[in-house]
Amino acid sequence: MITPGGTGPAPRLADQQDDVRRRVVALACRAPSVHNTQPWLWRVSGTRIRLWADRSRQLSASDPQGRNLLISVGAALHHATVAAAALGRSARVTRFPSPRDPDLVAEIDLAEARVPFAEELELAAAIERRRTDRRRFTSWPVPPERLAALAAAAERPGTRVLPVDDPGARAVVERLVARAIEAEDEDPLLREEQRRWIAHGPDDGIPLSSLPAHERATERPDRFDRDGAYDLNSFSVDVSDAVLALCTETDDAAAWLDAGEALSAVWLRATVGGLSVVPLSQVVEVTETRAALQLDVLAGSGVPQLMLRIGWQEVYRPELPPTPRRSLDEVMKR
Ligand SMILES: Cc1cc2nc3c(=O)[nH]c(=O)nc-3n(C[C@H](O)[C@H](O)[C@H](O)COP(=O)(O)O)c2cc1C
């Protein structure tokens, strides 16, 4: 939690700086990542924090290009700037600063201390509350103006966040999501990769406690295991759920990083407003469904990078436990 300092003896300036940087990195590591792979490495020196994409944690079967990897790193980058602001530091970000080191994704320079704004504290508080909550949403509709505000909060040059509200387009999205899930399920390599990241280890992967128990009688496609061991029916899209399409102008590393920053902006803002978000990446991972999405749903509005299912969880549902993260020592580049 972000709390004001105590009343003990004043720590040395260098210790304070070190503390702020480590807290920024620790909060940034709470970012969502594909299968909770946490594909990032950090280094702090002076007032600068460097962020690398960790290719050793790339999903070779489902993400050969590293799209989901860089979206995840982009989310961590945005989390870092939100955390820095709440800790009273503005952050100047230089993306891909070194052509010789393409995995060095960003340099974040922290400025002098200042008093954070209330909205910055609110957004940072959402970092620790945010979860991928795959339980079935209630049927309460998400008001279109709420959706539009979320989309607007995340737009940045080269990135667009589009509500998919036309009933015809929604039906196409549902069909494509189901088709992508089936296509990945038929591929033994993809199936095995997904299975491996469930209960993967004590500090990464998707723990069983984050996966919903069976919630409905109807047969619907799900993301991971279809043999009934893990019933993830609520992974697919329901008609009452709102859907946002995260798109970019280009389809390269810079665009994927931007998409990740936009993802984090939407998700934290949604969390502040009590809304739940579940990314749907399979429909973008499968070449055929990605092409159909671009042509039939987005019709020239951009390249789809991620679809987001958005809705309300039941008010009195117990909170999900947070998913685990690797220790700071492990994610610090030596
Ligand atoms: C690029 C990306 C793609 C993702 N794709 C999916 C997905 O298709 N289905 C899903 O349920 N969760 C998806 N997630 C959510 C991750 O599984 C989740 O962030 C991770 O397990 C950590 O859990 P947390 O978000 O609760 O901290 C995705 C996240 C990212 C960043």
Side-chain angles (χ1 to χ4, degrees):
M1 221 201 313
I2 295 176
T3 47
T7 51
R12 288 187 320 119
L13 187 62
D15 293 343
Q16 277 178 350
Q17 264 185 9
D18 190 47
D19 188 42
V20 167
R21 289 174 330 206
R22 287 180 74 84
R23 287 173 77 191
V24 167
V25 174
L27 282 164
C29 290
R30 292 302 318 160
S33 62
V34 62
H35 293 6
N36 199 18
T37 47
Q38 306 161 51
W40 42 65
L41 286 169
W42 305 82
R43 186 181 285 156
V44 293
S45 57
T47 52
R48 177 168 287 177
I49 300 175
R50 288 193 178 87
L51 167 60
W52 280 265
D54 182 352
R55 296 280 166 189
S56 72
R57 301 185 72 82
Q58 186 166 340
L59 299 171
S60 55
S62 60
D63 191 25
Q65 287 184 289
R67 170 190 278 109
N68 283 335
L69 175 136
L70 276 171
I71 294 177
S72 306
V73 177
L77 172 59
H78 181 264
H79 268 51
T81 60
V82 169
L87 291 164
R89 310 295 161 115
S90 334
R92 202 186 66 237
V93 177
T94 313
R95 293 166 186 79
F96 297 105
S98 167
R100 284 202 316 276
D101 185 358
D103 287 337
L104 175 56
V105 159
E107 285 176 347
I108 306 165
D109 288 300
L110 301 181
E112 287 298 296
R114 60 170 176 77
V115 179
F117 296 110
E119 307 88 77
E120 292 172 332
L121 291 172
E122 199 178 46
L123 210 55
I127 289 180
E128 284 170 303
R129 284 208 322 276
R130 187 204 59 79
R131 307 270 188 276
T132 304
D133 189 342
R134 303 172 180 88
R135 292 173 295 187
R136 183 184 173 187
F137 295 155
T138 63
S139 56
W140 288 99
V142 181
E145 56 281 6
R146 294 286 288 264
L147 213 53
L150 279 186
E155 280 204 12
R156 51 209 67 229
T159 310
R160 299 190 67 192
V161 183
L162 302 169
V164 181
D165 39 19
D166 171 76
R170 281 300 314 276
V172 176
V173 169
E174 279 159 45
R175 257 205 326 276
L176 292 175
V177 167
R179 200 186 304 159
I181 290 171
E182 259 169 42
E184 292 207 344
D185 199 49
E186 280 160 14
D187 182 323
L189 279 180
L190 289 171
R191 229 182 19 237
E192 171 51 24
E193 185 178 78
Q194 291 184 1
R195 201 201 50 75
R196 229 184 12 256
W197 282 91
I198 294 181
H200 183 261
D203 55 8
D204 59 9
I206 306 179
L208 287 173
S209 56
S210 297
L211 298 178
H214 186 74
E215 285 191 311
R216 62 177 67 204
T218 52
E219 258 302 305
R220 301 169 71 216
D222 55 44
R223 162 128 220 183
F224 291 91
D225 193 342
R226 302 193 69 189
D227 301 329
Y230 310 105
D231 198 332
L232 303 177
N233 284 338
S234 50
F235 272 73
S236 53
V237 186
D238 209 329
V239 258
S240 57
D241 303 342
V243 171
L244 286 178
L246 233 158
C247 312
T248 52
E249 262 167 34
T250 57
D251 196 21
D252 50 22
W256 302 335
L257 190 73
D258 284 346
E261 292 182 67
L263 168 68
S264 167
V266 170
W267 209 333
L268 293 180
R269 182 62 51 210
T271 305
V272 169
L275 279 163
S276 197
V277 175
V278 177
L280 301 165
S281 51
Q282 284 170 300
V283 66
V284 178
E285 288 160 17
V286 175
T287 312
E288 174 216 333
T289 52
R290 183 173 69 245
L293 202 56
Q294 185 164 356
L295 203 68
D296 303 339
V297 179
L298 301 170
S301 305
V303 185
Q305 301 299 352
L306 202 58
M307 302 301 283
L308 303 178
R309 195 163 76 79
I310 302 201
W312 307 101
Q313 284 292 344
E314 270 169 29
V315 179
Y316 295 112
R317 264 186 190 158
E319 255 192 37
L320 288 179
T323 50
R325 292 294 184 273
R326 295 189 294 153
S327 70
L328 267 193
D329 281 349
E330 261 185 90
V331 297
M332 286 296 180
K333 194 174 163 87
R334 279 162 246 281

